[in-house]
Structure formats: C-alpha cells, structure tokens
Amino acid sequence: MTLLVIDWWLILEKALLIGGIIGLSFFIAMYTTLAERKVAAWLQDRRGPNRAGPFGIFQPLADGGKLFFKEEIIPLASNKFLFILGPALAMITALITSTVIPWAAPFITKGGNVIPMQVADVDMGILLVFSIVSVGVYGIMIGGWASNNKFSLMAAVRGASQMVSYELPMGLCLIAVLFMTGSLKMSEIVANQVQNGWHIIYQPLGFLIFFICALAECNRTPFDLPEAENELNFGYHQEYSSMKLGFYLFAEYINMFISSAVMVTLYFGGYDIPFVNEASWGLSSFWMSLISFSVLMAKISFFLFLFLWIRWTIPRFRYDQLMNLGWKKLIPLALVNMIITAAVLLLLNK
Amino acid sequence: MNITQILFWFLSVVALFSALMVITNKNPVYSVLWLIVTFFAISGHYILLNAQFLAIVNIIVYAGAIMVLFLFVIMLMNLNKETEPQKNRWLRMAGAVAGGCLLLVLVAALKDTDIKQQQAMVNGGSIGLIKNLGKELFTTYVVPFEISSILFLSAMVGAVVIGKKE
C-alpha cells in the first residue's frame, strides 16, 4: 500500500527553481546595495566604495560580514518573540512574492516535457502578489511595536498606513491591465503582450500611477517616511542591530527587485524581446529561455536604476502631502484611467 | 490518507488551535496576531476546495487590511494587563451563559438542514476560479451583488460624514 503518491520530479524541478530564484533575489539585492552607493557617489560627484576588491565589487560581502559580527542587542523592555518575528516576516514576505513571476520562456526538454520557468502559474496570479504584499505590512508593524519605542511605533504606524493607502490606486491600475488581458495568470498577461504589444503603449497613465505606488510600497524616497531620520531618528528599525537590522534593510532591496519584476511583467512585456519576432529565429528552447531571461534581467536592472536615481534626486515628501497625493490625486486618476479603459474596450468590441 | 486529507487535518488543527489562542490570550496584540493565523488556515481550507479567489480575497481583505486596522487601534491604545479594566465574575458568567445559548441556537438551527448530506467537493470543481465566479456573480446573482455594493457605498459615505464632523 502506498501512503502517499508524490511526483518527485515535479518536487525536484520546483525546488531547483525556488532555490535558484531565492539565490538570485539575494544576489541582486546584494549588488543593488553596492549600486545604490555607486549611483549616489556618481550623482554627487564622488568615487563611491572602491576598496574591497576591484572597483569595490566585494563591498556587499564586507557589509554583510560587518552586520553578522556586530553585537546583537535586544532591548530589555521589548517583546522578545515579536522582536525577532518582525524582521523574519519582512524577509519571508519579500521572498514569497517571486512565486508567480514568469522568469523566462518555458524550457522544453528533449523528451518534449514543457518546464515553465515560473514556480506556480496559479489562476489568481497577480492577486497572489497583492495578497502577500498586504501581509508584508506586519513585518514593519510588529517590529515597530515590539521595540517598545515611541519613534519606532510612530514609524510603524506611518509605514502601515502608507502601504495600505497606496495599495488602492495600485489595485485600480491593475484592474485596467486585467481588462485588456482578461486573465489574472501572469503567463497569460505576458502572452497577451507578446501578441498585441506591451501594455505601456495602452496604459501610460496606469503605469505612472503603478510606479509611484511601487515606490511607496517599497518605502523608497520620496516616500521613505517610515525611516525619516530627521523626525523619527531611524524609523521602525531604530532598536534593531546586527543581522536583524540587515534583514529589514535587505528586505527593502528584495522588494525593489521583485516590484521591478512585477512592473516589467505587467507593463513591459515580461521576458519578451522587443521589436523582433524571436519565434522565427529557430533557436533551441534552451537558448530561447536563456536569452529571454537575460532580456527580463536587463529590463529589471533599468528599473532598479530608476529607483536609485529617484532616491538621490528627489527630496522626501511631508506626511500630509503623501496622504493627499495618495487619496486625493492618485485614486481619482486611477479610477478615471480604469473607466476610460473599460469604455474604449467596450467600444472596440462592439 | 492522501495529501489532501493530511492538509485538511493539519489546517483544521491550526485553525482551531489559533482560534482558541485568540480568546484565551491576555494580551490583545497576541490575540490579533493569532486571529491572522486563523485567517490563513481558513484560506488554506478554501484552497483545498479549489475556491482560489475566495482564499486570496480572504487574505487581502481580512488578514491584510482589516487586521492592520485592528492592530493600529490596539497598538496605539497600548492595552496591557495593568490598564485593562478587571471584569467581575458575574459578568464573565453571564458572558459564558449567553455564548452557550448562542451555540445551542446555532446547533438547533443547523441540525436538520440538508448541509450535512452534501459532500464538499475537494480538489475539484471550478466554480471558485475567477472566471466562473465572476460570470455567476454578474449574471445569476447580479441583483444581490449590486445591492451589497450600495451597502458598501453607504458605509463609505457614513465614514466620511463622521470624519468630517469637526
């Protein structure tokens, strides 16, 4: 009698894919920290870190080593379990969002098996990402509250209300995209763009709103109010030290990476190669997967650069400005965008 | 026992245990966090029934948005053992009796319904997928659906009115 029937090949395949994607997320996040300092230096006419290795390429390792060996301080009056849970949650939610993103064109083995380069192509697709992002608030809230520090609590409340507010216009922009694809599946969103052209052509306003919201969701400048140093000292992770602080900072970079990937998939054709019909090249599927993956990575790198560029160019918003922008400008704009999209689609179909 | 059954028992135990922790915990922040765990377990049950949309919406709306508001209030009020008003014993007993009565009524009401004859469709059925659910909602059940949306609108207007009062 067999107790459990498990498709071990599927488990192996998915485990490899998950491991690869998590490794990739960490790698990209690591080098985004270096890129951040290099871009900052470049914009401020400095050289940036250049001591560790040639051009400073080992700088992230040095930073990580430093964080690991720092003394770990847990405040006596803090809530110990929640204090540790906070950064862990921030990290876990940042990593889980990568599950539904299609990373490359599907790979077809010699036996004819199609291996999708996506951990799970679930029916809910993009909504799954939204649900995990909405749970990601708890990492900040729990950490800020458990620190037992007024500044941390204020920052956590700010961060959470900012994220909840900016999820709304983001979702409204998403609805306009879903009108065009008719499906929530990430694979079909990409397939629709390969066929009919990228969504950025049809949804420029939607993309702009989505991008602003993505900045707010990642707590990046100009929306980095949860860690506004001049008002809140260091924000929700003020009491954190050592690798727990590292987790919070690192989760932000992973969030940037994943939200860039989501934006590319929704508006910039995902792994699609622009201006050419790659199906006519007659390359083997291995090379196709590899090329499409590098194209996706190139697009993501551009967005990561955009994040950094904005951080070192635009000053921080005030809190009431942030809320006004979110509720009184972005939500009505996104609603109008949604209604216009719906009306145009209705006219074209009839 | 297949993997669906294992998951069912696991999720049931998690849901019941975390629900018990919600009501037995003294610290209200812990209660809210356990309630979030409960919602996740229930979402897991929805996924077992292939009601994917319901599962995701349950997480987005309840675990993601409403519980954040709960946490806001509780964290800012800073409730803890010292400041919490001590309820007297009679009030507790009255609560237990009232809760017991509610349970009794529910059991009596549900005893003879035909729910217990109907088997849940586990791992199959596609009505929970977004396309079928949307079609069903906007054709068969369009009137109740729209009426409930008016309910939401009135709640929203009410909130704005209360917020603007000063």
Side-chain angles (χ1 to χ4, degrees):
Chain A
M1 187 190 104
T2 48
L3 200 62
L4 277 174
V5 185
I6 294 175
D7 188 352
W8 287 107
W9 280 116
L10 185 77
I11 300 253
L12 184 71
E13 177 194 314
K14 293 296 180 197
L16 280 177
L17 203 57
I18 292 169
I21 290 169
I22 288 182
L24 181 80
S25 308
F26 277 126
F27 181 77
I28 300 271
M30 246 168 78
Y31 275 92
T32 316
T33 60
L34 177 65
E36 173 120 76
R37 300 167 73 172
K38 282 283 188 191
V39 169
W42 180 44
L43 291 178
Q44 296 166 350
D45 224 2
R46 293 184 283 118
R47 277 178 190 277
N50 60 357
R51 297 290 130 163
F55 306 107
I57 53 167
F58 297 130
Q59 186 67 36
L61 297 178
D63 287 342
K66 186 194 110 178
L67 278 174
F68 263 119
F69 289 117
K70 279 220 162 186
E71 189 190 352
E72 193 167 309
I73 300 164
I74 297 182
L76 269 181
S78 72
N79 193 320
K80 213 155 271 167
F81 177 70
L82 293 183
F83 192 78
I84 297 169
L85 185 69
L89 263 183
M91 198 57 160
I92 292 169
T93 48
L95 285 171
I96 294 178
T97 33
S98 61
T99 39
V100 291
I101 294 165
W103 294 97
F107 172 59
I108 302 160
T109 56
K110 284 211 174 94
N113 292 334
V114 179
I115 301 177
M117 289 289 136
Q118 188 179 9
V119 176
D121 192 13
V122 288
D123 191 53
M124 285 306 117
I126 183 71
L127 265 191
L128 188 69
V129 176
F130 270 69
S131 73
I132 296 162
V133 168
S134 71
V135 174
V137 184
Y138 292 116
I140 293 179
M141 282 206 79
I142 290 174
W145 183 76
S147 304
N148 199 22
N149 176 324
K150 275 177 197 151
F151 290 119
S152 302
L153 181 62
M154 286 309 292
V157 169
R158 268 187 182 191
S161 47
Q162 168 181 331
M163 281 168 101
V164 171
S165 323
Y166 277 76
E167 252 164 45
L168 291 172
M170 210 175 192
L172 289 172
C173 293
L174 182 71
I175 291 176
V177 171
L178 297 180
F179 279 154
M180 303 178 64
T181 56
S183 171
L184 272 74
K185 274 189 179 181
M186 294 296 252
S187 58
E188 281 182 33
I189 291 174
V190 173
N192 185 51
Q193 293 182 84
V194 172
Q195 216 166 28
N196 304 327
W198 295 357
H199 287 146
I200 179 74
I201 308 168
Y202 310 104
Q203 294 282 337
L205 178 66
F207 168 70
L208 189 69
I209 298 170
F210 198 92
F211 182 69
I212 293 172
C213 295
L215 282 178
E217 293 285 323
C218 296
N219 292 329
R220 293 290 295 184
T221 342
F223 304 111
D224 61 342
L225 286 150
E227 38 191 290
E229 299 92 344
N230 42 6
E231 305 158 28
L232 296 169
N233 292 335
F234 197 31
Y236 58 88
H237 40 48
Q238 180 169 20
E239 298 287 349
Y240 283 89
S241 57
S242 183
M243 208 50 202
K244 291 202 197 63
L245 173 68
F247 260 38
Y248 269 127
L249 301 181
F250 220 60
E252 180 182 318
Y253 287 95
I254 292 177
N255 274 330
M256 268 163 66
F257 170 57
I258 302 292
S259 60
S260 303
V262 168
M263 277 188 288
V264 167
T265 312
L266 285 180
Y267 289 96
F268 287 83
Y271 53 75
D272 178 38
I273 310 167
F275 310 121
V276 292
N277 181 15
E278 60 266 33
S280 63
W281 292 352
L283 286 172
S284 71
S285 86
F286 173 74
W287 287 109
M288 280 313 295
S289 298
L290 207 63
I291 292 172
S292 55
F293 176 69
S294 0
V295 168
L296 180 75
M297 278 299 140
K299 292 176 189 171
I300 290 174
S301 313
F302 172 73
F303 275 100
L304 285 175
F305 173 69
L306 206 59
F307 271 101
L308 306 182
W309 189 8
I310 287 173
R311 168 156 184 193
W312 297 105
T313 311
I314 301 178
R316 185 181 293 137
F317 273 65
R318 224 171 47 219
Y319 192 67
D320 59 320
Q321 290 171 332
L322 169 98
M323 281 294 155
N324 268 337
L325 179 73
W327 288 94
K328 294 187 182 161
K329 299 207 174 68
L330 290 184
I331 289 181
L333 260 181
L335 271 173
V336 168
N337 180 51
M338 185 184 92
I339 290 168
I340 291 176
T341 311
V344 169
L345 281 179
L346 201 64
L347 276 178
L348 288 180
N349 281 352
K350 291 276 162 74
Chain B
M1 209 148 90
N2 57 23
I3 206 150
T4 313
Q5 271 170 321
I6 295 173
L7 280 175
F8 172 78
W9 287 110
F10 174 72
L11 288 170
S12 305
V13 169
V14 171
L16 287 177
F17 176 73
S18 51
L20 272 177
M21 292 306 278
V22 173
I23 51 172
T24 51
N25 246 310
K26 290 267 193 238
N27 189 335
V29 172
Y30 278 155
S31 287
V32 171
L33 294 177
W34 277 112
L35 194 54
I36 296 165
V37 177
T38 316
F39 283 136
F40 269 91
I42 291 171
S43 271
H45 277 297
Y46 286 144
I47 290 174
L48 283 188
L49 297 168
N50 211 14
Q52 298 185 15
F53 184 70
L54 211 53
I56 294 289
V57 166
N58 188 40
I59 289 179
I60 293 181
V61 175
Y62 285 94
I66 293 181
M67 285 299 115
V68 168
L69 297 182
F70 271 50
L71 266 189
F72 264 13
V73 175
I74 290 172
M75 282 179 179
L76 288 179
M77 276 167 41
N78 203 12
L79 295 174
N80 45 37
K81 262 177 233 156
E82 294 91 58
T83 55
E84 206 178 353
Q86 292 293 317
K87 296 186 192 77
N88 68 38
R89 203 188 295 154
W90 291 107
L91 212 60
R92 281 187 196 171
M93 264 157 86
V97 170
C101 287
L102 182 67
L103 181 72
L104 203 68
V105 170
L106 279 178
V107 169
L110 293 175
K111 191 169 68 78
D112 291 327
T113 51
D114 49 0
I115 292 173
K116 64 181 178 189
Q117 276 97 25
Q118 281 173 2
Q119 282 281 319
M121 229 204 273
V122 172
N123 237 345
S126 55
I127 191 67
L129 300 185
I130 190 158
K131 204 164 235 164
N132 308 327
L133 190 73
K135 269 192 186 134
E136 200 65 11
L137 271 183
F138 283 101
T139 51
T140 321
Y141 300 106
V142 67
V143 179
F145 184 76
E146 293 298 333
I147 288 175
S148 65
S149 76
I150 293 172
L151 192 69
F152 278 117
L153 192 67
S154 61
M156 230 154 81
V157 171
V160 171
V161 167
I162 292 172
K164 283 251 172 190
K165 221 164 199 175
E166 279 142 34

